């Protein structure tokens, strides 16, 4: 494995303003229509003992909820190695924490976290879950229909109830006439009166994130698949009340040794 140094990671993180225009999430599934290698439930073998790691296609979960967006770093990815910039929900730019996934086997990896001002920490990890997207509840592939219907608020939201229809959204009983379209796999763009107001992004698992735009976002920016919007007025985590992924994740984590 190549040395994952703070100098390498944070030299690039320091270029956030220049890099933001070309940063993209890992929104496309790799060959053979599988989720990215990192998607799933893992056992991290840390010095103090095993710890669970839950990762959807684009987010690292913490305390049971989606927490940290993953943005693949251009030019550093090959068949086995994936380097990520990260952004914590609610932040207006990249978080000074780099993550590297290095595949060491079919269901094993080295997982490295490099936080600014600290020495990078590398641990081994083994998969506890099923890797293929068709069986993985943490994948976002082929789940577009689940955007429509009822969602409930979480500790990561200000709203309590959300209902999404093809021409209307209702938040805590107040309805708004909208248009909704898929702008990329796992992400819906919402417009009101022709103006973009939000993304509804599949966070994997039982969750989605309602990402309210700041004023000035254009339809072209909303639909752009190459440039990622990093600064939102708010990001609210909602949960599918009929979801079963939380139970599946809990079951997998019980398998840690």
């Amino acid at each position: 494995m190549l040395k994952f140094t703070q100098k390498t990671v944070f030299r690039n993180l320091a270029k956030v303003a220049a890099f933001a225009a070309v940063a993209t999430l890992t929104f496309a599934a790799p060959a053979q229509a599988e989720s990215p290698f990192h998607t799933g439930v893992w056992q991290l073998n840390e010095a103090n003992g095993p710890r669970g790691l839950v990762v959807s296609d684009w987010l690292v979960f913490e305390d049971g909820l989606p927490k940290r967006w993953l943005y693949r770093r251009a030019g550093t990815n090959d068949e086995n190695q994936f380097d990520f910039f990260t952004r914590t929900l609610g932040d207006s730019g990249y978080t000074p924490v780099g993550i590297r996934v290095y595949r060491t086997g079919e269901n094993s990896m080295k997982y490295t976290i490099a936080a600014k001002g600290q020495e990078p920490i590398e641990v081994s990890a083994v998969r506890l879950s099923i890797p293929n997207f068709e069986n993985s509840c943490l994948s976002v592939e082929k789940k577009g229909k689940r955007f429509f219907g009822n969602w409930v608020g979480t500790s990561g939201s200000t709203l309590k109830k959300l209902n999404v229809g093809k021409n209307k959204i209702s938040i805590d009983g107040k309805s708004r006439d909208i248009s909704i379209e898929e702008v990329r796999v796992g992400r819906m763009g919402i417009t009101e009166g022709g103006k973009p107001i939000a993304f509804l992004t599949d966070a994997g698992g039982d969750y989605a994130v309602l990402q309210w735009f700041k004023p000035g976002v254009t339809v072209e920016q909303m639909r752009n698949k190459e440039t990622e919007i990093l600064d939102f007025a708010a990001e609210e985590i909602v949960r599918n009340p009929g979801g079963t992924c939380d139970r599946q994740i809990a079951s997998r984590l019980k398998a840690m040794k």
Side-chain angles (χ1 to χ4, degrees):
M1 176 175 175
L2 296 176
K3 190 176 182 181
F4 194 36
T5 64
Q6 290 178 20
K7 181 178 180 182
T8 300
V9 174
F10 297 113
R11 181 178 63 236
N12 287 282
L13 286 173
K15 298 177 182 177
V16 165
F19 190 77
V22 297
T24 56
L25 282 172
T26 313
F27 276 175
Q32 300 178 351
E34 293 183 350
S35 294
F37 176 75
H38 62 264
T39 301
V41 183
W42 297 83
Q43 174 179 313
L44 298 181
N45 299 310
E46 298 183 330
N48 295 328
R51 179 171 69 87
L53 172 71
V54 179
V55 191
S56 70
D57 287 6
W58 315 324
L59 279 154
V60 177
F61 282 53
E62 292 182 14
D63 300 321
L65 291 178
K67 179 68 174 181
R68 199 181 300 278
W69 293 100
L70 297 173
Y71 301 84
R72 259 185 18 190
R73 187 171 146 223
T76 64
N77 307 296
D78 58 24
E79 184 179 354
N80 296 314
Q81 180 177 304
F82 308 92
D83 291 356
F84 299 96
F85 295 98
T86 67
R87 181 176 68 82
T88 302
L89 269 91
D91 283 359
S92 59
Y94 294 115
T95 303
V97 177
I99 290 176
R100 168 172 286 179
V101 169
Y102 188 83
R103 188 200 310 250
T104 57
E106 185 176 353
N107 291 297
S108 63
M109 67 175 176
K110 291 181 180 178
Y111 186 78
T112 306
I113 295 179
K116 187 175 182 179
Q118 301 178 26
E119 288 296 317
I121 299 173
E122 177 186 280
V123 298
S124 65
V126 292
R127 183 187 298 280
L128 302 173
S129 61
I130 299 169
N132 189 276
F133 79 88
E134 292 182 343
N135 297 310
S136 173
C137 69
L138 285 161
S139 170
V140 304
E141 287 286 332
K142 294 189 177 181
K143 296 180 181 177
K145 292 182 180 178
R146 86 184 195 111
F147 280 114
F148 299 102
N150 293 317
W151 299 85
V152 295
T154 68
S155 60
S157 67
T158 60
L159 61 85
K160 294 181 179 179
K161 293 183 179 180
L162 169 69
N163 178 271
V164 180
K166 293 185 177 180
N167 303 110
K168 191 182 296 289
I169 60 171
S170 177
I171 299 174
D172 293 335
K174 296 182 179 180
S175 296
R176 302 170 67 167
D177 294 325
I178 54 94
S179 295
I180 188 167
E181 62 182 275
E182 186 177 56
V183 294
R184 58 179 73 176
V185 173
R187 171 168 281 177
M188 295 293 197
I190 302 173
T191 57
E192 182 179 39
K195 295 182 179 180
I197 60 170
F199 283 140
L200 184 59
T201 301
D202 193 332
D206 295 331
Y207 301 93
V209 182
L210 185 61
Q211 300 174 287
W212 294 108
F213 295 139
K214 288 187 172 181
V217 173
T218 65
V219 172
E220 290 74 22
Q221 287 174 313
M222 181 185 75
R223 292 174 176 166
N224 193 321
K225 296 181 180 180
E226 301 299 326
T227 301
E228 188 63 25
I229 297 172
L230 300 177
D231 191 8
F232 296 91
E235 293 182 280
E236 304 197 71
I237 304 169
V238 293
R239 185 182 186 278
N240 175 2
T244 63
C245 193
D246 279 351
R247 292 198 297 272
Q248 293 181 53
I249 291 170
S251 176
R252 297 292 181 183
L253 290 174
K254 287 181 180 178
M256 284 195 298
K257 299 176 182 180

